[in-house]
Amino acid sequence: MIKYISLIFLSAISIFLIVSCNDSPTDLGTEFLSQDVGEVLILNSSVDSVPQASYGFKNVFALGGASQLLLGKAENVTSHVLLKFIFAIPDSINRELKLRNLTVIDSYVEMFKNYSFGDSNATFDYNVYKVNEQWSSSTFTADSFSFLDIDNSLDLSFNRSPGNGSLYSFHLDTTLASSWLQNYADSSVASNYGILLSPDTIITTQKVLGFNAFNINGENDPRLRIVVQKPGAYIDTLIGFIATDLSVVLGEVPNVGTENFAIQSSLTSEAKLIFDLSVIPKDIVINSATLTLTVDTLATKVGSSFTNKLNVYLLDDSVKNKLNTNYLYTLERKGATFTGSITNIIRAWNNSVSNQGLLIKAASEFWGVEIFAIKGSNATLIEQRPKLEIVYSRGKKN
């Protein structure tokens, strides 16, 4: 049913709703503000007859712009890391490289952990393989992974160990490191396509670790150190800086139960939510609209650091998952719900913008592998289904 608010308090309530709403009325609603307001009504999808539907799906992105590299296996995901290093070498050293006067006596990579997901006590191990072809962090996705040309016949790492605190390191085959230096000196004699880090397939683990990725400040991003020797002359250490890096997160949409849909970062699992709002009259003023999603706290899985928020977008095209980025709102976690205002989305729908539904994402979609289990439109308890509450004003009847 639609609830009627007493006209005695009508003016005060209308002013309060319009002023206090986070989404100030835009040109979508101002054409009605000149009307004499006759009544304020509330539409509550949990009470009134508002058909709705929700479902989750996987939306694959290239993760090259993420600030984090994810490696490991846990729950429904297996995550790999691609790394490629470049060098800034003095001319004097470069001349020695061209003359083949330098010998690589050691090489190792250092990475700084900033995140963990899964069993903190689980064993963590991985292998390192040579990549045999070019790849781009801006276009390479999980769908590209099966086609990547790698030499997985030999693990090129050894002495893999966590150092003090967050520092992780592994030593790298010196032959590979030497070939990269030769590529720097003369690209016609060797190649440098980087390496792939893959979680160990033998050890059954339930842990994904996150590491700092490339950043413009160069703060704790992966570094390669190659120790070279000119026999009888000197020993020096050359630094390899990240040229490009990427996480490749594989897996299917997590199974969080038949009544729920899943939102998962990095995989990435998103959800569409559609309300049939044909019951709302056209010539009205939308004062406010609030969306509330209920969390299944038992099926939700989170890591050591995460953003406990969801983002809501207006869908321009529900078939192509095309978003209208002018309409982005955040749902804040409050106990067992995510709640937030989506007022201007409802105003848009009420003013001839096609209702293609809402798209729900993790607020930090490219950080971690958090799984938020949300009660869907088919939840047994109606009060746990996605709830949309709309407060609107309607002019006086003549």
Side-chain angles (χ1 to χ4, degrees), residues 377-394:
S377 300
N378 65 334
T380 302
L381 299 177
I382 295 176
E383 62 269 23
Q384 290 186 339
R385 296 174 184 174
K387 183 177 77 171
L388 179 61
E389 185 174 85
I390 302 172
V391 179
Y392 64 94
S393 303
R394 185 164 62 187

Side-chain angles (χ1 to χ4, degrees), residues 30 71-72 76 81 90 121 130 140 149 191 223-224 246 276 284-285 287 297 332 358 369-370 373 388 390:
T30 51
L71 179 62
N76 61 309
V81 170
N121 296 317
K130 179 185 176 184
F140 194 98
D149 184 4
S191 63
R223 292 294 167 89
L224 168 66
L246 176 74
D276 181 355
I284 61 172
V285 175
N287 295 321
T297 55
E332 304 277 350
L358 306 169
V369 287
E370 274 63 46
L388 179 61
I390 302 172

Side-chain angles (χ1 to χ4, degrees), residues 9 163 170 192 337:
F9 303 103
F170 61 89
N192 177 7
T337 63

Side-chain angles (χ1 to χ4, degrees), residues 85-293:
F85 297 94
I86 57 173
F87 304 92
I89 296 176
D91 290 342
S92 59
I93 299 293
N94 195 28
R95 284 193 296 270
E96 300 295 343
L97 286 172
K98 290 180 178 180
L99 294 171
R100 305 291 181 96
N101 289 335
L102 298 181
T103 301
V104 175
I105 60 176
D106 193 14
S107 60
Y108 56 97
V109 174
E110 294 177 330
M111 302 172 66
F112 288 84
K113 185 184 76 168
N114 58 19
Y115 170 85
S116 65
F117 176 89
D119 183 357
S120 60
N121 296 317
T123 301
F124 181 77
D125 203 5
Y126 53 93
N127 300 314
V128 178
Y129 303 116
K130 179 185 176 184
V131 179
N132 295 325
E133 65 176 349
Q134 292 280 10
W135 51 276
S136 169
S137 60
S138 63
T139 59
F140 194 98
T141 70
D143 291 341
S144 313
F145 186 74
S146 62
F147 303 102
L148 182 65
D149 184 4
I150 61 172
D151 182 0
N152 59 4
S153 62
L154 180 64
D155 177 10
L156 299 177
S157 67
F158 58 99
N159 289 347
R160 298 179 296 273
S161 62
N164 295 325
S166 61
L167 178 63
Y168 279 63
S169 65
F170 61 89
H171 287 253
L172 193 62
D173 179 77
T174 55
T175 301
L176 179 62
S178 180
S179 72
W180 290 348
L181 293 179
Q182 290 303 316
N183 171 264
Y184 177 86
D186 184 353
S187 60
S188 68
V189 300
S191 63
N192 177 7
Y193 301 125
I195 51 177
L196 173 72
L197 282 61
S198 292
D200 193 290
T201 56
I202 298 176
I203 298 175
T204 302
T205 184
Q206 276 291 317
K207 180 188 290 186
V208 172
L209 297 183
F211 300 90
N212 286 3
F214 167 82
N215 58 87
I216 58 174
N217 297 320
E219 183 177 354
N220 291 336
D221 57 3
R223 292 294 167 89
L224 168 66
R225 303 185 189 275
I226 302 179
V227 182
V228 297
Q229 179 183 47
K230 182 177 181 180
Y234 59 80
I235 294 177
D236 201 353
T237 300
L238 307 178
I239 307 297
F241 302 91
I242 279 293
T244 186
D245 58 7
L246 176 74
S247 297
V248 185
V249 181
L250 308 178
E252 298 303 322
V253 173
N255 182 1
V256 291
T258 58
E259 288 192 353
N260 303 331
F261 60 81
I263 305 297
Q264 186 171 26
S265 49
S266 298
L267 183 62
T268 52
S269 177
E270 303 173 346
K272 294 178 185 179
L273 177 59
I274 301 172
F275 290 96
D276 181 355
L277 299 180
S278 58
V279 67
I280 299 179
K282 288 295 181 184
D283 295 335
I284 61 172
V285 175
I286 303 294
N287 295 321
S288 68
T290 303
L291 178 65
T292 301
L293 304 177

Side-chain angles (χ1 to χ4, degrees), residues 261-263 300 302 306-310 338 362 370-374:
F261 60 81
I263 305 297
T300 294
V302 298
F306 64 99
T307 302
N308 207 6
K309 301 176 183 180
L310 299 178
F338 286 103
E370 274 63 46
I371 301 171
F372 296 105
I374 306 298

